[in-house]
Amino acid sequence: MAHHRSPSRLLRPLLVRPRLMLAGAGGLALYLLLPGLASLSGPTRFLVSWNAAVLTYLAMAGWMMLRSTHEAMRQRALHQDEGQRTVLV
């Protein structure tokens, strides 16, 4: 019988939140691509990328909420439960 290895306690909070990871990766990619696409200062690039990541996350979370059932939400909450000692900051 194969032993399934769980992700480390540091990575698990991020791995069970794919929308957060995708939005963050998209914001980082946009930040890295913006110098070639527009001549923006560093802080402006950061804010544009941050806002894009936040809007992406909110859109994905909204879409998830619109199509979720009570049971799916319950299962998602159980899957994402970190216990009493871990808090995603």
Side-chain angles (χ1 to χ4, degrees), residues 1-36:
M1 181 177 205
H3 185 305
H4 182 265
R5 231 170 136 188
S6 64
S8 75
R9 289 193 306 183
L10 295 175
L11 288 178
R12 188 177 185 286
L14 297 174
L15 294 176
V16 298
R17 293 171 176 82
R19 285 165 292 283
L20 181 62
M21 293 297 292
L22 285 171
L28 179 61
L30 183 60
Y31 180 81
L32 296 173
L33 289 172
L34 274 178

Side-chain angles (χ1 to χ4, degrees), residues 9-76:
R9 289 193 306 183
L10 295 175
L11 288 178
R12 188 177 185 286
L14 297 174
L15 294 176
V16 298
R17 293 171 176 82
R19 285 165 292 283
L20 181 62
M21 293 297 292
L22 285 171
L28 179 61
L30 183 60
Y31 180 81
L32 296 173
L33 289 172
L34 274 178
L37 300 176
S39 58
L40 301 173
S41 66
T44 302
R45 261 181 40 216
F46 175 79
L47 289 173
V48 167
S49 302
W50 176 267
N51 288 339
V54 169
L55 287 173
T56 301
Y57 176 77
L58 290 174
M60 288 189 290
W63 179 251
M64 175 203 59
M65 287 186 278
L66 285 173
R67 61 186 182 89
S68 287
T69 63
H70 289 287
E71 183 59 30
M73 293 292 273
R74 185 175 290 114
Q75 290 301 319
R76 192 175 299 107

Side-chain angles (χ1 to χ4, degrees), residues 74-86:
R74 185 175 290 114
Q75 290 301 319
R76 192 175 299 107
L78 289 172
H79 182 67
Q80 293 181 358
D81 185 24
E82 304 303 325
Q84 295 178 355
R85 290 179 273 158
T86 306

